[in-house]
Amino acid sequence: MSSLDHGLVCANSLTGIGTINEALKELDAQSGKSGQISLFGALIEDKLSEASQLLIESASAAEATAKDVEYASQIAKEARTRAEQTKLLFDAAVAARLGLLDTVGGADPSVIEKRSMQPEVRELVTTLKPAHMPYLFPEVFLRENGGFDVLVGNPPWEKIKIEEHQWWGLR
């Protein structure tokens, strides 16, 4: 637990991509149709699989010395680098969902990736700060029954406080 680089994220999970299938629906109109193979699906899963293996190695690394901690941190950074292409595709999916980018389902992934680099898309991503969960946590989302087992959050305490006039008004 000496290096929390991978586990702590400051981003908006409501604006990001939650699953690979969610991204595929925006990027590839043919995705999920009988007998159709998605170029996006294979690319995303391959890149995230590479990153996942590195993150599993990083989590398993001993952290007994400062050198061990630095090694684990470097592995986590390398995982992000290897999965960067998927982040750009997920950014494109968010832009497409908001009508800012036409992905033209079935287009080559490299074309969509280039479109995701357009200034208006980059500005959108900077503003929204989307948390693309499969990109951020591939080791969690690529496993069997992928996804988080537990979520811990800070609820909006102001909403939990009883407003007496509303409470009595209902009774």
Side-chain angles (χ1 to χ4, degrees), residues 18-41:
T19 65
I20 294 171
N21 285 338
E22 182 183 337
L24 293 178
K25 286 179 186 173
E26 295 298 334
L27 297 172
D28 189 354
Q30 302 303 310
S31 174
K33 290 187 179 176
S34 178
Q36 295 289 330
I37 297 174
S38 171
L39 293 173
F40 292 98

Side-chain angles (χ1 to χ4, degrees), residues 70-115:
E70 179 60 29
Y71 174 72
S73 179
Q74 289 300 331
I75 293 173
K77 286 177 186 173
E78 177 62 23
R80 288 271 193 269
T81 300
R82 292 206 187 169
E84 185 64 26
Q85 190 176 14
T86 63
K87 182 183 182 306
L88 292 173
L89 291 173
F90 291 156
D91 289 347
V94 169
R97 184 169 44 200
L98 295 174
L100 188 62
L101 188 67
D102 180 17
T103 58
V104 187
D108 185 87
S110 63
V111 172
I112 301 298
E113 187 180 334
K114 286 178 187 170
R115 290 182 188 163

